[in-house]
Amino acid sequence: MKILIKGGRVIDPGNNIDKVTDIFINKGVIEDIDENIDLNGIEMEVIDAAGKIVSPGLVDMHCHLRDPGQEYKEDIESGTKSAVMGGITSVACMPNTKPVADNESVITYIQSKAKEVGYVNVYPIGAISKGLKGKELAEIGEMKFAGAVAISDDGRPVVESGLMRRAMQYADMFDITVISHCEDIGLADGGHINEGFMSTYLGLRGITRAAEEVMVSRDILIAEATNTAIHIAHVSTRGSVELVRQAKKRGVRVTCETCPHYFTLTDKAVDGFNTNAKMNPPLRTDDDVEAIKEGLKDGTIDCIVTDHAPHHIDEKNCEFALALNGIVGFETSLGLGLKYLVETGVLTINELIEKMAVNPAKILGLNKGNLSVGNTADITIFDPTVNWTVDIEKFSSKSKNSPYNGFELCGKPEYVIVGGNVVVNQGILL
Ligand SMILES: [Zn+2]
């Protein structure tokens, strides 16, 4: 299969490319990037990308595909379909499945099912502790050997600091990334939303920012003391951004991510007991949103991830305190980034692509998120000037738990190429 992408603005921050040019794909591989590629007489598919951005396929290093075990929420097929519709060509999925991905066999299951029915590249993340119980380390080497790209107990913190330290030291030895869900359970105190005006107003138990920040501090200190690396998941507060900023200045090997909801929404979205605005960490305040944007701008925050967390309608359509945490995110993340960060001047498109493709690939050690000649063709093409309206009924995900229904966003992916195959064509899944 030969594909020629004609006349788009090719942005490949990893290779310092930003120019109007053509890309020629042959047998799944980027064979040439040059102006006015002319292959007269050769039969091929031509994509007219004039006026559009041609980007490396996005890499989402934090999502939940719910497979194995909770396929009523999502499975590898529907989840990767949803991802590709959002312009994402590689995902790393968290291990809190049923059974937990804490051993070779679950890691292997995810990989082989993804090969069979997946629409994008799927990279499993293994658990830090057996059964996510926080007691005993999982078989980190065995999981790495089977193909796990990172370890995390995401969904819950590793409470025992000594266990976290050993996990970080083992991970360093095996050259695998540790992703920390930072939450002090005692401080979070069973809360449901950010502690502040809204929690008082709604009469809901609040979660102090300190619940996140105490653990961010701890993990930074462990990384510093042991010269190991740590990646902080879903940063949501001004304090966390500042802790990472200062640690980076001292040379600590710390990276971090945030999600679109932490730079687009505040706890006001919970008003009316909107369970689609319930997540962990919770939505914060305008001041935190400002700090997240500052952190993105100055490079403190390396990545934007979705934390795509599908739930069945019955798990959200209930009393606020009982509703499960999380929202679906694959199909809105690029549009939210373009609308709330690029259109407002917080980031350039190039910087957005860095945070949604280049940096996540780097942190996971994947040769993805670039348009290097000779590399597998994973490409996303979008027009940032085209507006579209979010309609949850049109999501490819099995779940519809999004707080963004009806939002006006821009830059819906028009073409998505995975492994040299056009999977989305003019916005339609093939
Ligand atoms: Zn988490």
Side-chain angles (χ1 to χ4, degrees):
M1 187 66 185
K2 296 177 170 59
I3 305 166
L4 181 62
I5 304 170
K6 275 233 73 76
R9 177 179 163 198
V10 175
I11 302 181
D12 180 12
N15 289 311
N16 264 316
I17 293 172
D18 179 359
K19 61 177 178 187
V20 174
T21 189
D22 299 345
I23 297 182
F24 179 58
I25 299 160
N26 190 15
K27 292 181 189 146
V29 168
I30 298 176
E31 201 168 277
D32 194 12
I33 300 183
D34 218 334
E35 280 159 53
N36 301 313
I37 295 176
D38 188 9
L39 296 155
N40 248 338
I42 299 174
E43 200 174 312
M44 69 182 100
E45 182 171 353
V46 178
I47 295 172
D48 177 13
K52 302 185 207 301
I53 305 288
V54 180
S55 159
L58 305 180
V59 179
D60 182 7
M61 67 177 286
H62 186 152
C63 73
H64 302 268
L65 295 179
R66 308 296 191 207
D67 188 351
Q70 294 181 308
E71 291 86 350
Y72 67 96
K73 298 178 194 238
E74 194 82 285
D75 58 34
I76 289 173
E77 185 176 356
S78 65
T80 56
K81 211 184 268 186
S82 176
V84 82
M85 288 302 283
I88 296 158
T89 57
S90 295
V91 299
C93 53
M94 286 296 175
N96 60 341
T97 46
K98 291 180 177 170
V100 171
D102 62 358
N103 61 75
E104 187 185 348
S105 67
V106 182
I107 299 289
T108 306
Y109 161 84
I110 293 167
Q111 288 177 316
S112 53
K113 186 155 181 205
K115 240 178 225 138
E116 205 180 305
V117 300
Y119 287 78
V120 303
N121 308 299
V122 175
Y123 298 96
I125 297 171
I128 290 174
S129 68
K130 282 187 184 160
L132 303 173
K133 291 197 170 83
K135 299 282 180 234
E136 208 184 327
L137 281 186
E139 293 293 344
I140 298 171
E142 179 189 297
M143 292 190 295
K144 158 93 185 181
F145 191 67
V149 293
I151 52 169
S152 180
D153 273 4
D154 185 55
R156 56 182 80 174
V158 176
V159 172
E160 219 282 293
S161 306
L163 188 78
M164 191 59 168
R165 173 179 138 156
R166 283 201 301 287
M168 286 161 68
Q169 288 175 317
Y170 271 110
D172 215 51
M173 246 163 55
F174 289 112
D175 194 23
I176 189 169
T177 310
V178 186
I179 304 172
S180 179
H181 168 110
C182 289
E183 180 184 9
D184 183 305
I185 294 291
L187 284 172
D189 197 22
H192 303 295
I193 68 167
N194 182 55
E195 185 175 88
F197 175 83
M198 282 309 291
S199 63
T200 309
Y201 172 73
L202 294 171
L204 291 168
R205 191 189 281 257
I207 305 171
T208 168
R209 290 176 185 76
E212 176 176 319
E213 293 156 5
V214 161
M215 284 302 236
V216 172
S217 311
R218 182 200 72 173
D219 289 347
I220 285 172
L221 292 172
I222 296 174
E224 194 165 17
T226 55
N227 188 27
T228 54
I230 189 73
H231 178 80
I232 310 287
H234 41 53
V235 164
S236 76
T237 76
R238 175 175 288 279
S240 296
V241 174
E242 187 55 24
L243 284 162
V244 173
R245 182 179 288 126
Q246 293 307 326
K248 281 187 168 185
K249 275 188 192 150
R250 297 199 302 276
V252 181
R253 293 163 62 197
V254 58
T255 52
C256 72
E257 64 186 38
T258 192
C259 313
H261 31 282
Y262 300 120
F263 59 77
T264 58
L265 298 174
T266 67
D267 56 359
K268 291 192 199 88
V270 178
D271 200 6
F273 300 95
N274 177 11
T275 55
N276 281 332
K278 184 180 180 188
M279 45 205 102
N280 186 20
L283 296 172
R284 306 289 183 177
T285 63
D286 287 319
D287 180 59
D288 297 288
V289 167
E290 262 330 291
I292 295 292
K293 288 181 182 170
E294 289 160 17
L296 284 162
K297 199 179 174 73
D298 74 6
T300 300
I301 301 176
D302 304 271
C303 310
I304 296 168
V305 304
T306 64
D307 198 358
H308 179 82
H311 288 300
H312 190 269
I313 187 157
D314 295 342
E315 296 162 329
K316 283 290 193 181
N317 209 354
C318 58
E319 195 186 315
F320 194 89
L322 300 176
L324 297 182
N325 284 309
I327 62 170
V328 289
F330 285 147
E331 292 167 71
T332 48
S333 61
L334 176 63
L336 289 164
L338 288 166
K339 184 88 187 174
Y340 287 81
L341 298 175
V342 177
E343 226 178 74
T344 56
V346 176
L347 298 180
T348 62
I349 291 189
N350 307 52
E351 289 167 333
L352 185 72
I353 293 170
E354 263 174 348
K355 291 182 198 291
M356 296 187 79
V358 182
N359 294 345
K362 234 181 247 172
I363 289 165
L364 296 179
L366 305 172
N367 182 21
K368 293 286 174 192
N370 63 65
L371 299 173
S372 302
V373 171
N375 217 349
T376 307
D378 292 344
I379 298 174
T380 295
I381 302 174
F382 58 92
D383 182 345
T385 64
V386 171
N387 293 320
W388 61 284
T389 307
V390 179
D391 179 357
I392 54 167
E393 295 308 323
K394 290 189 180 146
F395 282 173
S396 293
S397 170
K398 280 187 190 176
S399 294
K400 315 290 173 199
N401 50 311
S402 166
Y404 297 113
N405 197 31
F407 273 50
E408 288 282 331
L409 304 181
C410 50
K412 201 174 185 149
E414 291 175 36
Y415 296 88
V416 185
I417 298 170
V418 185
N421 296 308
V422 180
V423 181
V424 176
N425 190 332
Q426 295 181 319
I428 292 161
L429 188 78
L430 296 183

